[in-house]
Short mmCIF file of all heavy atoms in Angstrom, two decimals:
data_model
loop_
_atom_site.label_atom_id
_atom_site.label_comp_id
_atom_site.label_asym_id
_atom_site.label_seq_id
_atom_site.Cartn_x
_atom_site.Cartn_y
_atom_site.Cartn_z
N LEU A 235 24.98 -16.59 8.26
CA LEU A 235 25.55 -17.83 7.75
C LEU A 235 27.08 -17.76 7.72
O LEU A 235 27.76 -18.76 7.97
CB LEU A 235 25.01 -18.14 6.36
CG LEU A 235 23.50 -18.40 6.27
CD1 LEU A 235 23.10 -18.70 4.83
CD2 LEU A 235 23.08 -19.53 7.19
N THR A 236 27.60 -16.59 7.39
CA THR A 236 29.04 -16.30 7.46
C THR A 236 29.19 -14.89 7.99
O THR A 236 28.18 -14.25 8.36
CB THR A 236 29.71 -16.41 6.07
OG1 THR A 236 29.29 -15.31 5.25
CG2 THR A 236 29.32 -17.73 5.38
N ASP A 237 30.42 -14.35 7.96
CA ASP A 237 30.60 -12.99 8.45
C ASP A 237 30.04 -11.96 7.49
O ASP A 237 29.91 -10.77 7.86
CB ASP A 237 32.08 -12.72 8.72
CG ASP A 237 32.93 -12.93 7.48
OD1 ASP A 237 32.46 -13.60 6.54
OD2 ASP A 237 34.08 -12.44 7.46
N THR A 238 29.65 -12.35 6.27
CA THR A 238 29.11 -11.38 5.30
C THR A 238 27.75 -11.80 4.74
O THR A 238 27.15 -11.05 3.97
CB THR A 238 30.07 -11.19 4.12
OG1 THR A 238 30.25 -12.43 3.45
CG2 THR A 238 31.40 -10.63 4.59
N VAL A 239 27.25 -12.96 5.11
CA VAL A 239 25.99 -13.46 4.54
C VAL A 239 25.00 -13.72 5.66
O VAL A 239 25.34 -14.37 6.66
CB VAL A 239 26.21 -14.75 3.71
CG1 VAL A 239 24.88 -15.25 3.16
CG2 VAL A 239 27.20 -14.50 2.58
N GLU A 240 23.77 -13.24 5.50
CA GLU A 240 22.73 -13.51 6.47
C GLU A 240 21.51 -14.10 5.78
O GLU A 240 21.26 -13.86 4.60
CB GLU A 240 22.34 -12.27 7.27
CG GLU A 240 21.64 -11.19 6.49
CD GLU A 240 21.32 -9.97 7.35
OE1 GLU A 240 22.26 -9.32 7.86
OE2 GLU A 240 20.12 -9.67 7.50
N ILE A 241 20.73 -14.87 6.52
CA ILE A 241 19.51 -15.48 6.03
C ILE A 241 18.34 -14.88 6.79
O ILE A 241 18.42 -14.66 8.00
CB ILE A 241 19.54 -17.01 6.15
CG1 ILE A 241 18.28 -17.63 5.54
CG2 ILE A 241 19.75 -17.46 7.58
CD1 ILE A 241 18.35 -19.15 5.44
N GLN A 242 17.26 -14.58 6.08
CA GLN A 242 16.07 -14.00 6.67
C GLN A 242 14.86 -14.84 6.25
O GLN A 242 14.65 -15.07 5.06
CB GLN A 242 15.87 -12.56 6.20
CG GLN A 242 17.07 -11.66 6.41
CD GLN A 242 16.94 -10.33 5.69
OE1 GLN A 242 15.89 -9.98 5.16
NE2 GLN A 242 18.03 -9.56 5.64
N ALA A 243 14.09 -15.29 7.21
CA ALA A 243 12.88 -16.05 6.94
C ALA A 243 11.69 -15.35 7.59
O ALA A 243 11.77 -14.93 8.75
CB ALA A 243 12.99 -17.48 7.47
N SER A 244 10.61 -15.19 6.84
CA SER A 244 9.46 -14.43 7.34
C SER A 244 8.16 -15.14 7.00
O SER A 244 8.05 -15.83 5.97
CB SER A 244 9.43 -13.02 6.73
OG SER A 244 10.60 -12.29 7.03
N GLY A 245 7.19 -14.98 7.87
CA GLY A 245 5.85 -15.49 7.63
C GLY A 245 4.83 -14.52 8.19
O GLY A 245 5.07 -13.86 9.20
N MET A 246 3.69 -14.40 7.53
CA MET A 246 2.63 -13.52 8.00
C MET A 246 1.28 -14.16 7.67
O MET A 246 1.13 -14.80 6.62
CB MET A 246 2.72 -12.14 7.34
CG MET A 246 1.64 -11.15 7.81
SD MET A 246 1.82 -9.48 7.11
CE MET A 246 1.28 -9.75 5.42
N ALA A 247 0.31 -13.99 8.56
CA ALA A 247 -1.04 -14.47 8.31
C ALA A 247 -2.01 -13.46 8.90
O ALA A 247 -1.72 -12.80 9.90
CB ALA A 247 -1.27 -15.85 8.93
N TYR A 248 -3.17 -13.33 8.28
CA TYR A 248 -4.17 -12.39 8.78
C TYR A 248 -5.56 -12.85 8.39
O TYR A 248 -5.77 -13.62 7.44
CB TYR A 248 -3.92 -10.98 8.25
CG TYR A 248 -4.10 -10.83 6.75
CD1 TYR A 248 -5.33 -10.48 6.20
CD2 TYR A 248 -3.03 -11.05 5.88
CE1 TYR A 248 -5.50 -10.36 4.83
CE2 TYR A 248 -3.19 -10.94 4.51
CZ TYR A 248 -4.43 -10.58 3.99
OH TYR A 248 -4.60 -10.47 2.63
N ASP A 249 -6.55 -12.38 9.15
CA ASP A 249 -7.96 -12.63 8.87
C ASP A 249 -8.73 -11.39 9.25
O ASP A 249 -8.56 -10.85 10.35
CB ASP A 249 -8.46 -13.84 9.65
CG ASP A 249 -9.84 -14.28 9.22
OD1 ASP A 249 -9.95 -14.97 8.19
OD2 ASP A 249 -10.81 -13.90 9.90
N ASP A 250 -9.56 -10.92 8.33
CA ASP A 250 -10.22 -9.63 8.50
C ASP A 250 -11.69 -9.76 8.11
O ASP A 250 -12.01 -10.35 7.07
CB ASP A 250 -9.53 -8.59 7.60
CG ASP A 250 -10.10 -7.18 7.78
OD1 ASP A 250 -11.27 -6.97 7.41
OD2 ASP A 250 -9.38 -6.30 8.25
N SER A 251 -12.57 -9.24 8.93
CA SER A 251 -14.01 -9.24 8.60
C SER A 251 -14.59 -7.84 8.86
O SER A 251 -14.19 -7.18 9.83
CB SER A 251 -14.76 -10.30 9.41
OG SER A 251 -14.66 -10.04 10.80
#
Side-chain angles (χ1 to χ4, degrees):
L235 296 181
T236 71
D237 58 342
T238 61
V239 179
E240 68 181 63
I241 184 171
Q242 306 169 10
S244 300
M246 181 176 74
Y248 66 91
D249 189 81
D250 183 293
S251 61

